[in-house]
Amino acid sequence: MRSVVLEADDVWFTYPDGTQALRGVSFKVFEGETAVLLGPSGAGKSTVLLHFAGVLFPSSGSVYVCGEKVSRRNVKEVRRHVGFVFQNPESQLFCPTVWDDVAFGPISMGLPMDKVEKRVKEALEAVGLLEYAGKHPHHLSFGEKRRAALATVLSMNPEVYLFDEPTANLDPKNASFITEIIAQLSNEGKAVLVATHDVDVLPQVASRVIVMSRGRVVSEGEPEKVLSNFKLMAETGLRPPVITSLLHSLHEEGILNIDEPYPISQQKAKQKVKESIGKLLKAHSTKQT
């Protein structure tokens, strides 16, 4: 049985200006699971991540990381388990070179320099930036900055990865690369929690989608089932994935007989269409004879 790595238990949070950002949020993320927090801007997704990172603390309720209740008393220890990839990569890049930025975490952990160098090299190789190790981070493209920011977290090898809008403002190539890294982390047994409003790409690598709206969790479950709920998507200010919408339209117009839940990936959609066409051809052949 997989262990619970992240848990929010009836978490409420109000910012100093009086904005109530979270209203009784509860959910769990398990070892080796990629969970996607899906919701429009202002739903409270980033606020949830900041609680797991020990940057914010609940007004009421509790947050747990690797079985430990997060508090101001133990926040430094908790942060050793968590890697946070911010939406703005420049928030994580502040050293003279890319190498220095990626080495900062392992050095702060007190690792000997031979291990620091090994981790930095492995992290930069993983994101395809080893040749940029001596470059100033500000001279990188936005996509390269996003990769470098990810490398600063990979080099620390945490048990938990938090991603805030990791594909925002990226071209398709870089977005696909980041998505592949997320899938790889899950395969390695890491717990991954992604906050996003990207309904087309990131849910494809998720084992579970948790939908948030106005500071509350309003639905959670398997990505295909949740994203096939057109009423829920409309109520939360989201849209269904493009592939899901297309298959739904074909079904509604009687062109293909494809039942819910609708696929969200091209591969599964292709299989569903083939199956439907196969049934139509078989039915036509039977009628002819």
Side-chain angles (χ1 to χ4, degrees):
M1 187 175 180
R2 293 183 301 172
S3 59
V4 177
V5 179
L6 297 175
E7 181 178 0
D9 181 16
D10 193 25
V11 176
W12 293 72
F13 180 76
T14 303
Y15 282 101
D17 66 356
T19 301
Q20 192 166 53
L22 301 179
R23 306 165 186 264
V25 171
S26 296
F27 66 87
K28 298 177 182 179
V29 179
F30 298 88
E31 180 184 11
E33 179 181 33
T34 295
V36 169
L37 274 178
L38 194 64
S41 297
K45 308 183 301 295
S46 297
T47 302
V48 169
L49 296 189
L50 292 170
H51 276 75
F52 284 124
V55 177
L56 299 177
F57 300 91
S59 302
S60 66
S62 302
V63 169
Y64 300 87
V65 173
C66 297
E68 289 289 323
K69 182 178 178 180
V70 182
S71 67
R72 288 178 174 81
R73 178 182 52 81
N74 67 354
V75 66
K76 288 185 177 180
E77 180 59 32
V78 167
R79 286 176 182 165
R80 288 180 173 270
H81 301 288
V82 178
F84 196 143
V85 183
F86 290 88
Q87 180 175 355
N88 180 6
E90 293 185 355
S91 299
Q92 292 177 259
L93 304 173
F94 50 83
C95 293
T97 68
V98 172
W99 194 97
D100 291 327
D101 270 317
V102 180
F104 183 83
I107 290 173
S108 300
M109 294 167 64
L111 297 180
M113 282 309 298
D114 59 331
K115 288 189 176 181
V116 170
E117 291 178 2
K118 182 174 183 293
R119 288 203 182 187
V120 171
K121 182 180 179 182
E122 290 175 348
L124 289 175
E125 283 180 336
V127 300
L129 290 181
L130 185 57
E131 62 184 291
Y132 296 94
K135 205 168 184 178
H136 195 291
H138 290 170
H139 295 160
L140 302 177
S141 68
F142 184 82
E144 289 166 348
K145 287 178 181 178
R146 183 66 61 82
R147 293 190 187 199
L150 174 56
T152 66
V153 176
L154 292 174
S155 66
M156 298 180 70
N157 192 30
E159 294 102 311
V160 182
Y161 286 80
L162 308 175
F163 289 85
D164 194 3
E165 299 288 357
T167 58
N169 304 314
L170 291 182
D171 57 66
K173 181 179 178 181
N174 277 301
S176 178
F177 182 87
I178 295 295
T179 304
E180 289 172 5
I181 291 286
I182 291 173
Q184 181 181 329
L185 290 171
S186 181
N187 290 336
E188 293 173 358
K190 305 293 186 179
V192 181
L193 180 61
V194 183
T196 186
H197 59 263
D198 181 354
V199 297
D200 291 304
V201 179
L202 292 168
Q204 294 184 32
V205 299
S207 50
R208 190 157 45 96
V209 166
I210 303 163
V211 181
M212 290 190 66
S213 178
R214 298 177 181 178
R216 300 183 187 276
V217 172
V218 294
S219 180
E220 66 174 292
E222 296 176 10
E224 290 183 354
K225 290 183 179 179
V226 173
L227 296 175
S228 291
N229 188 335
F230 285 71
K231 182 181 178 183
L232 172 68
M233 295 293 100
E235 290 175 348
T236 55
L238 296 168
R239 63 165 177 80
V242 172
I243 293 174
T244 302
S245 296
L246 175 60
L247 295 178
H248 175 71
S249 296
L250 292 173
H251 178 75
E252 288 291 297
E253 293 176 20
I255 298 172
L256 293 174
N257 184 19
I258 301 175
D259 296 326
E260 297 182 13
Y262 300 111
I264 58 176
S265 70
Q266 290 186 24
Q267 184 177 0
K268 289 186 178 180
K270 189 185 298 184
Q271 183 61 36
K272 281 271 191 179
V273 170
K274 283 183 178 180
E275 290 173 0
S276 181
I277 292 175
K279 290 177 182 178
L280 285 173
L281 292 174
K282 185 176 180 180
H284 180 72
S285 176
T286 302
K287 187 179 286 188
Q288 291 284 62
T289 57

